[in-house]
Amino acid sequence: MSSRPGRAVHRAFTAIASVAALLALAACGSATTPAADSAKATAADSPGLAAARKALAKYSERPGKIPVTQPVGKPIPAGKTIDFILCGVQSCKDLADFFTEGANQLGWTVQQIPTQGTPESVQSAYEQALRDKPDAVVASGFPRAVYAKQLAKLKEAGIPVIQSNADDVVGDGIALLKNGPKDVAVQGEMLASWVVADSDAQANTVYFDLPAYTILKPVKDMFATKYKEWCEGCALDNVDVPITAIGKDMADRVVSYVRSHPKVTHIVFGLGLLNVGVPSALKTAGIADKHIAVNVGDAQNYQYIQNDLSHGAMALNSHETAWTQVDALARHFTGQSMEVDQKAVLPNMLITKDNLTVTIGDFPLVEDYQAQFKALWGLN
């Protein structure tokens, strides 16, 4: 997308200024221009910047196809019950809502079980699922180490557990995992492509991460890898923040950091929720010239982009993930393997003002994904 180079400031001279003075000023300007122009030209011609721009162009395109193409091919039984365990942040609630919409199409009932994102609350939610004895359990956000005891009991009871956005692997109780560590790393590459292209490979970046969600680590690591590859010599700092900062003092943390690091040009958040309130706080502090990008965009961040308060967002494939999970259970309940869904590569998209379609809610990347999935389920 478009870069935002610094604008040269030209001041008008008064009518009584002497010709000699004008020539002297012009000479001074010409003495420094070649070095600046040379630095920009070097960055503009760098292979890294070219690679970042190419990647950004690819990730900015809106996907047109869902990740699964093979029809279920058998009548899907209705009346199934599913427990969906939430992770404690809005993006997981969105995922549960989208899953519920898809499950309802097949006549299934979904019970959403809330948590506060703590290990204790997650374990309690899985204990409730054990008592409920549903036909399947769906969850997101936490690895099996948090709920290993309950997972073993669910496996023993023959209840499949489907996970997404979790630092885990398939097997030993986990029947399906979407957006696992290998899948989400690309999100870091997407964010890096935007920062490098936006800065013409001259960025000074700070990356705010949320280590409580270990699934975000591959995103941060890939961002650092691609950033250093594409933006040679560009500064990068990482700041870890606790989950308790969300909705509380996150904006203050960012303002404090930027004030003490005035050379920072770009701010990246490992989760969109970390950016809530930050643009207005920076503006109030008189430092609103920073360029912001987030991982896992949401309605608030899309509105920021629309209003030029933020500039980039990795759009999470929540709709497509949720309905892929429904598709996997449809195959399971008809005696088929979930392998087709496990192998499916979910779509991704990097949002900027140039390709922003809507600012209300978490929008699907594949516009007609519902119709495409219904066709696989024999509902069209």
Side-chain angles (χ1 to χ4, degrees), residues 76-338:
I76 302 171
K80 298 296 182 179
T81 58
I82 317 292
D83 276 4
F84 197 113
I85 297 174
L86 307 181
C87 76
V89 298
Q90 185 59 45
S91 57
C92 291
K93 179 64 168 66
D94 292 340
L95 188 65
D97 289 343
F98 304 146
F99 178 90
T100 300
E101 291 174 1
N104 288 343
Q105 296 292 326
L106 298 175
W108 303 347
T109 300
V110 179
Q111 177 181 213
Q112 297 185 18
I113 305 176
T115 76
Q116 287 73 53
T118 62
E120 295 78 12
S121 64
V122 171
Q123 292 164 9
S124 177
Y126 274 94
E127 288 290 348
Q128 180 177 334
L130 282 167
R131 293 191 297 271
D132 292 343
K133 298 180 181 178
D135 294 297
V137 173
V138 183
S140 65
F142 292 94
R144 72 179 69 216
V146 176
Y147 57 96
K149 178 181 178 181
Q150 294 80 13
L151 179 62
K153 292 181 179 179
L154 288 166
K155 179 183 177 183
E156 183 179 351
I159 300 173
V161 175
I162 289 182
Q163 272 281 6
S164 70
N165 306 294
D167 184 7
D168 214 325
V169 294
V170 174
D172 198 22
I174 303 295
L176 181 82
L177 173 66
K178 302 306 298 180
N179 280 333
K182 294 181 180 180
D183 305 315
V184 301
V186 69
Q187 298 167 7
E189 180 175 338
M190 295 166 68
L191 292 167
S193 73
W194 178 82
V195 171
V196 177
D198 182 70
S199 68
D200 286 337
Q202 298 182 71
N204 185 316
T205 305
V206 57
Y207 189 109
F208 287 94
D209 190 40
L210 198 64
Y213 291 103
T214 55
I215 188 58
L216 296 177
K217 186 178 185 299
V219 180
K220 181 184 73 171
D221 291 347
M222 182 59 74
F223 176 88
T225 297
K226 287 299 182 179
Y227 181 84
K228 293 174 182 177
E229 175 186 337
W230 292 336
C231 205
E232 185 176 355
C234 295
L236 174 63
D237 193 13
N238 291 287
V239 178
D240 290 342
V241 295
I243 192 172
T244 53
I246 297 176
K248 294 183 179 178
D249 65 341
M250 187 62 210
D252 293 336
R253 290 170 182 262
V254 177
V255 169
S256 177
Y257 179 92
V258 174
R259 276 179 170 162
S260 61
H261 299 78
K263 292 184 179 181
V264 164
T265 60
H266 289 71
I267 303 172
V268 179
F269 294 100
L271 192 65
L273 286 174
L274 296 175
N275 187 39
V276 174
V278 170
S280 58
L282 289 172
K283 184 176 181 180
T284 299
I287 43 179
D289 60 334
K290 311 306 177 184
H291 293 183
I292 300 173
V294 306
N295 187 46
V296 186
D298 54 20
Q300 181 66 74
N301 281 287
Y302 298 145
Q303 191 65 56
Y304 285 155
I305 291 174
Q306 181 64 42
N307 296 331
D308 296 317
L309 298 174
S310 285
H311 310 90
M314 194 294 298
L316 188 63
N317 42 42
S318 298
H319 293 78
E320 295 78 11
T321 296
W323 282 51
T324 298
Q325 293 174 323
V326 174
D327 185 83
L329 286 176
R331 296 174 196 277
H332 173 74
F333 294 145
T334 54
Q336 303 180 65
S337 169
M338 299 184 189

